[in-house]
């Protein structure tokens, strides 16, 4: 049956890699740099890692400074880091050179460049964009700078106020800058799109757009204009994420729905065309966790809802009287009386998936119910192929009774109208679902799709009877239970 096709990304479950607070993550190709606070919010530590498949192979943890709220970015072998002093509102930066083989960074000394709180930085080529809060946590400011790799310094432009809010984060690609922050007075989350003027060291910002509610937002954009956003719930230690696309014409982000990830706090996100890497702190202790996911956008298309062969119950076994009519013939001649009656009956249908697909994909499928006697019914059901689900639908159907009845002279008859009401009649079914996907601009092969589905923990069966290049067909099984009218019929009795 026809469906609406949509795409979404299921992120891999996180694993613990260290202890601390306020982690920040950055990636370039398959190189990863992570910085975080010590548990006492005084010392700053870093890791270098290398992505293989969808895992990060971490190097040792090294202390590199003191401070709090560190933030890091990497381009090729250049690392830039900013943080706030642990004792006051001074903001500091480092420039470093990464050695991916030894998994160490050769840092330059730290330099004080401004005052404020919660700085964030991103580097592209030799240009950095930095955003931070004012000391009163109300205004938002930015700098543009140029990195001097030889002496490991940054030549900063002036500081410019661009909005009000708190907890800003920034990312950019070759064409655009994206920024997110939380409202200074509420739980609303906002984003800006910016374009860089390198010569004047300024950013031309778009207006701000409210896209969700929450706290502690972070954002990342890759060269395909794909955007990943993470934030924490306002009132609970639950992490949520969006996948979106930046429209380079309207300079707006088309965000998909917000999806629950895991419990945690202090989220950080970074992506490129191939991977999404996420870090956060445990909500219960100082454990630090990361997840690394192929940036493979999977598309799901439910091709059909297929019911098992149906065994019909015996006619009249569950008959329910739904109406009567008395017809009198006082004449001395035989008459023919036409009976026509419509009866409305509310039928309840329930679909229950007994298997999971674990991809986070969403679709809408339509199912033509096989057991409706007098009418045909097609139900449209929204579907998230991520967990076992159940839907109940109530549909009002009309049943038509139409019959010519002969009544003898000077007699009366009574017509009884019945519907076979079938309660909780179970029919197994499966959704035949086609899955395709891309990682960056590369379309995933059938073998790669199978590996992703198997590693996701799905219980759904791969349908080997359907084959198509760069696609996988999956049978997602379930049960259909319906209460509905199977047959209609009339009984005539003399009175």
């Amino acid at each position: 049956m026809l469906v609406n096709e949509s795409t979404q990304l299921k992120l891999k479950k996180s694993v613990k890699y260290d202890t601390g607070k306020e982690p920040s993550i950055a990636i370039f190709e398959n190189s990863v740099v992570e910085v975080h606070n010590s548990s006492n919010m005084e010392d700053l530590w870093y890791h270098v890692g290398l992505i293989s498949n969808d895992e990060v192979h971490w190097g040792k943890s090294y202390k590199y400074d003191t401070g709090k709220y560190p933030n890091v970015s990497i381009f090729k072998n250049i690392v830039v880091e900013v943080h706030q002093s642990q004792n006051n509102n001074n903001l500091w930066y480092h420039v470093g050179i990464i050695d991916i083989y030894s998994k160490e960074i050769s840092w330059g000394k730290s330099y004080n460049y401004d005052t404020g709180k919660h700085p964030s930085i991103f580097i592209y080529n030799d240009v950095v964009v930095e955003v931070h809060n004012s000391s009163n946590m109300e205004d938002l400011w930015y700098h543009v700078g140029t990195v001097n790799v030889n002496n490991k310094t940054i030549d900063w432009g002036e500081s410019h106020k661009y909005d009000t809010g708190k907890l800003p984060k920034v990312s950019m690609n070759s064409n655009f800058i994206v920024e997110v922050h939380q409202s200074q007075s509420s739980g609303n989350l906002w984003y800006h799109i910016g374009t860089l003027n390198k010569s004047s060291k300024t950013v031309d910002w778009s207006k701000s757009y409210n896209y969700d509610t929450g706290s502690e937002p972070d954002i990342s954009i890759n060269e395909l204009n794909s955007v990943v956003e993470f934030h924490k719930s306002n009132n609970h230690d639950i992490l949520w994420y969006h996948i979106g696309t930046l429209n380079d014409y309207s300079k707006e982000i088309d965000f998909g729905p917000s999806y629950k990830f895991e419990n945690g706090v202090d989220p950080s996100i970074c992506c490129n065309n191939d991977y999404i890497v996420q870090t956060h702190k445990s909500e219960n202790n100082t454990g630090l966790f990361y997840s690394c996911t192929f940036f493979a956008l999977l598309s799901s298309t439910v091709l059909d809802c297929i019911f098992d062969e149906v065994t019909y119950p015996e006619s009249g076994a569950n008959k329910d009287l739904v109406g009567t009519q008395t017809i009198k013939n006082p004449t001395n001649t035989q008459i023919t009386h036409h009976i026509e009656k419509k009866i409305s009956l509310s039928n309840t249908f329930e679909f229950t998936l007994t298997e999971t697909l674990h991809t986070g994909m969403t679709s809408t499928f339509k199912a033509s119910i096989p057991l409706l006697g007098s009418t045909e019914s097609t139900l449209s059901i929204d579907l998230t192929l991520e967990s076992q689900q159940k839907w109940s639908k109530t549909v009002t159907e009309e049943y038509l009774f139409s019959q010519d009845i002969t009544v003898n002279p000077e007699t009366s008859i009574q017509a009884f109208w019945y519907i076979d009401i079938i309660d909780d009649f179970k029919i197994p079914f499966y959704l035949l679902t086609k899955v395709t996907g891309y990682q960056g601009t590369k379309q995933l092969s059938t073998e790669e799709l199978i590996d992703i589905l198997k590693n996701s923990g799905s219980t759904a069966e791969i349908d080997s009877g359907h084959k198509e290049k760069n696609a996988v067909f999956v049978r997602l099984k379930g049960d259909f239970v319906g209460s509905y009218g199977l047959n209609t019929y009339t009984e005539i009795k003399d009175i």
Side-chain angles (χ1 to χ4, degrees):
M1 296 302 163
L2 181 66
V3 301
N4 294 327
E5 180 181 351
S6 58
T7 57
Q8 206 270 317
L9 182 69
K10 176 71 176 179
L11 298 185
K12 189 177 176 182
K13 183 178 175 61
S14 65
V15 295
K16 184 178 179 181
Y17 67 96
D18 207 336
T19 59
K21 294 181 179 179
E22 300 290 342
S24 174
I25 196 80
I27 62 174
F28 183 83
E29 295 180 347
N30 63 343
S31 300
V32 182
V33 176
E34 181 271 353
V35 295
H36 62 270
N37 260 124
S38 59
S39 300
N40 63 4
M41 291 293 286
E42 290 188 0
D43 297 327
L44 299 175
W45 297 76
Y46 79 88
H47 288 272
V48 174
L50 197 61
I51 298 175
S52 178
N53 292 324
D54 55 352
E55 294 184 2
V56 177
H57 298 272
W58 295 104
K60 296 179 181 179
S61 180
Y62 297 96
K63 179 182 174 182
Y64 67 96
D65 207 338
T66 58
K68 61 183 179 181
Y69 306 126
N71 192 264
V72 71
S73 182
I74 177 176
F75 187 85
K76 294 184 178 178
N77 66 335
I78 307 171
V79 182
V80 291
E81 181 271 352
V82 288
H83 62 270
Q84 181 184 338
S85 170
Q86 75 274 26
N87 299 317
N88 52 51
N89 294 331
N90 287 330
L91 299 178
W92 301 79
Y93 78 88
H94 286 272
V95 176
I97 303 299
I98 187 173
D99 185 338
I100 195 61
Y101 299 104
S102 66
K103 295 180 179 175
E104 296 183 15
I105 298 173
S106 173
W107 294 103
K109 70 176 185 177
S110 62
Y111 295 91
N112 176 217
Y113 68 96
D114 207 335
T115 59
K117 294 181 178 180
H118 296 280
S120 174
I121 196 167
F122 201 90
I123 181 173
Y124 194 93
N125 287 324
D126 63 340
V127 177
V128 295
V129 175
E130 182 270 356
V131 294
H132 63 269
N133 258 125
S134 59
S135 299
N136 63 5
M137 290 294 287
E138 291 188 358
D139 297 326
L140 298 175
W141 297 77
Y142 80 91
H143 288 272
V144 175
T146 304
V147 176
N148 186 319
V149 177
N150 294 328
N151 57 23
K152 296 178 181 176
T153 60
I154 298 175
D155 179 19
W156 294 102
E158 295 182 3
S159 181
H160 301 273
K161 178 182 174 182
Y162 66 96
D163 206 341
T164 57
K166 62 182 179 180
L167 304 178
K169 293 291 175 64
V170 69
S171 178
M172 64 176 168
N173 62 17
S174 57
N175 294 308
F176 297 103
I177 302 165
V178 292
E179 180 269 357
V180 289
H181 63 271
Q182 181 183 342
S183 168
Q184 76 275 23
S185 57
S186 69
N188 289 327
L189 300 178
W190 301 79
Y191 76 86
H192 287 274
I193 305 300
T195 52
L196 177 69
N197 188 324
K198 183 177 179 181
S199 61
S200 64
K201 294 183 178 176
T202 58
V203 176
D204 180 18
W205 296 104
S206 70
K207 69 176 185 178
S208 60
Y209 296 92
N210 177 215
Y211 67 94
D212 208 337
T213 60
S215 63
E216 303 174 14
D218 198 3
I219 198 165
S220 186
I221 185 172
N222 65 19
E223 282 301 309
L224 302 174
N225 282 354
S226 297
V227 177
V228 183
E229 184 274 350
F230 251 81
H231 64 270
K232 189 181 81 69
S233 170
N234 268 326
N235 301 316
H236 303 92
D237 293 335
I238 301 174
L239 302 178
W240 299 80
Y241 67 96
H242 291 270
I243 305 292
T245 303
L246 192 157
N247 185 315
D248 54 7
Y249 177 75
S250 65
K251 295 184 181 179
E252 296 181 34
I253 299 174
D254 180 18
F255 278 118
S258 180
Y259 289 91
K260 180 180 177 182
F261 177 56
E262 294 177 1
N263 290 349
V265 297
D266 304 339
S268 177
I269 186 74
C270 195
C271 72
N272 57 23
N273 292 353
D274 297 318
Y275 300 100
I276 299 173
V277 182
Q278 188 274 341
T279 58
H280 64 272
K281 188 185 84 68
S282 168
E283 77 279 17
N284 298 318
N285 51 56
T286 58
L288 297 179
F289 291 77
Y290 90 95
S291 69
C292 180
T293 305
F294 285 117
F295 206 153
L297 287 174
L298 301 180
S299 298
S300 65
T301 306
V302 181
L303 302 176
D304 209 348
C305 179
I306 301 172
F307 293 87
D308 276 4
E309 187 174 341
V310 176
T311 301
Y312 290 86
E314 182 181 353
S315 179
N318 301 280
K319 68 179 183 180
D320 283 59
L321 181 66
V322 295
T324 63
Q325 183 174 340
T326 300
I327 303 170
K328 296 180 181 180
N329 181 9
T331 71
N332 58 3
T333 60
Q334 190 180 66
I335 65 171
T336 299
H337 188 83
H338 181 73
I339 297 176
E340 187 164 308
K341 183 72 173 178
K342 287 184 178 180
I343 300 293
S344 294
L345 180 66
S346 292
N347 303 313
T348 301
F349 311 103
E350 184 176 272
F351 287 85
T352 303
L353 287 182
T354 57
E355 292 184 325
T356 60
L357 196 51
H358 290 307
T359 61
M361 299 179 294
T362 58
S363 292
T364 297
F365 77 92
K366 294 180 180 179
S368 291
I369 311 305
L371 290 182
L372 291 179
S374 59
T375 60
E376 288 293 328
S377 179
T378 299
L379 303 182
S380 180
I381 298 176
D382 290 329
L383 172 71
T384 301
L385 301 178
E386 187 171 1
S387 60
Q388 294 178 348
Q389 294 170 84
K390 180 181 290 187
W391 312 268
S392 292
K393 297 281 185 177
T394 299
V395 179
T396 299
E397 304 289 351
E398 287 191 341
Y399 297 84
L400 176 64
F401 296 83
S402 180
Q403 187 172 349
D404 290 329
I405 298 175
T406 300
V407 185
N408 292 324
E410 297 179 349
T411 60
S412 299
I413 62 99
Q414 191 167 14
F416 298 85
W417 302 318
Y418 295 93
I419 300 177
D420 280 346
I421 305 296
I422 310 301
D423 294 318
D424 299 331
F425 190 70
K426 182 184 288 188
I427 312 170
F429 74 93
Y430 67 87
L431 302 178
L432 181 61
T433 306
K434 177 182 174 181
V435 180
T436 58
Y438 282 84
Q439 184 178 13
T441 57
K442 173 199 170 198
Q443 186 168 13
L444 296 173
S445 68
T446 299
E447 292 74 18
E448 290 170 324
L449 289 167
I450 290 173
D451 286 342
I452 290 174
L453 293 179
K454 286 182 176 179
N455 292 334
S456 72
S458 297
T459 60
E461 174 188 352
I462 293 176
D463 189 329
S464 58
H466 291 77
K467 295 185 183 296
E468 185 178 314
K469 185 179 179 181
N470 299 327
V472 172
F473 294 84
V474 176
R475 292 189 177 205
L476 191 60
K477 294 180 181 179
D479 290 318
F480 168 76
V481 177
S483 296
Y484 40 82
L486 178 62
N487 293 312
T488 64
Y489 55 94
T490 306
E491 288 184 358
I492 305 299
K493 293 182 180 181
D494 292 330
I495 298 177

